Amino acid sequence: MRAGVALLALAGVAHAESKKDKELAAKSVCKAPIPAPGTKPAPLINFYNEHTHEWLAVEPDKPLAPGELDLFLRDHYTNKSTTMEPRLAGVLVAAAKNFKSDIVDVVSGFRHPKYNLMLRKKGHQVARDSQHTHGNAVDFFIPKVTTQQLQAWAKAQKLGGVGLYLESGFVHMDTGPIRFWSGD
Ligand SMILES: [Zn+2]
């Protein structure tokens, strides 16, 4: 009799455990619908900042998080940022896509008026009221793409100003009035 009671008790324990297991198993089952097969995500485009040496990986078809571009294109001299013209991110992505590159090298984004003035005093080719000081301009290049090729593409975008800096090896683009120039 004793053995029988023990056996029953054991069976009870076993039963309790299996019930608990089932509950646990039920909880771990994913309730979300099975996702539809997707398409392969587009490769990331990586912005590199020549001054801060920072990288910003961008999903080409998704807008950037608020403030991300502002921080990335901040003035490296004063470490201050401004609200950048949001179309500039799209411009950099479009340029990278056009030349099938996953890297865009940024030479200059926002320039704080203090930094702009310092550049002017040092004799750099910098406009007094540069579009850079308004957060409307970006200077950049794409590795393995000639500056002339990039300039031709930039002009065709009809975004605004396009400057060609052959010796320095970059193109300036801004969202101001459409105008073209070249510097060193
Ligand atoms: Zn510029």
Side-chain angles (χ1 to χ4, degrees):
M1 285 298 282
R2 270 175 178 256
V5 169
L7 205 69
L8 265 173
L10 210 66
V13 167
H15 177 72
E17 273 181 2
S18 75
K19 198 181 165 193
K20 205 177 170 188
D21 286 348
K22 276 180 192 165
E23 278 169 8
L24 274 173
K27 271 183 195 163
S28 67
V29 167
C30 181
K31 296 267 164 44
I34 296 165
T39 47
K40 188 183 171 194
L44 295 174
I45 291 172
N46 304 285
F47 298 169
Y48 178 69
N49 186 313
E50 291 278 315
H51 291 290
T52 62
H53 307 292
E54 289 170 0
W55 290 89
L56 178 63
V58 175
E59 287 186 72
D61 302 319
K62 279 192 186 168
L64 288 172
E68 221 171 2
L69 185 71
D70 304 346
L71 185 67
F72 179 72
L73 294 179
R74 72 185 180 279
D75 176 290
H76 69 279
Y77 184 71
T78 60
N79 209 34
K80 291 209 162 78
S81 62
T82 194
T83 305
M84 294 299 297
E85 158 62 56
R87 281 180 290 166
L88 294 175
V91 162
L92 297 180
V93 166
K97 276 184 169 178
N98 182 70
F99 293 103
K100 296 182 173 51
S101 172
D102 61 352
I103 294 177
V104 178
D105 258 281
V106 172
V107 177
S108 185
F110 172 54
R111 270 185 220 145
H112 190 277
K114 264 189 200 168
Y115 177 51
N116 202 61
L117 187 67
M118 191 204 78
L119 289 176
R120 278 176 67 81
K121 281 181 178 167
K122 280 190 170 178
H124 289 267
Q125 336 161 59
V126 166
R128 189 174 52 82
D129 191 35
S130 163
Q131 290 289 342
H132 285 280
T133 64
H134 299 287
N136 294 334
V138 66
D139 296 342
F140 67 103
F141 66 93
I142 293 178
K144 296 174 195 155
V145 175
T146 69
T147 321
Q148 292 99 323
Q149 280 177 307
L150 186 58
Q151 178 216 26
W153 176 86
K155 278 176 149 182
Q157 304 312 302
K158 297 183 168 62
L159 177 80
V162 174
L164 170 73
Y165 293 85
L166 259 188
E167 264 177 56
S168 310
F170 65 81
V171 166
H172 163 112
M173 282 182 85
D174 67 55
T175 57
I178 289 187
R179 65 218 187 284
F180 308 122
W181 70 90
S182 52
D184 295 334

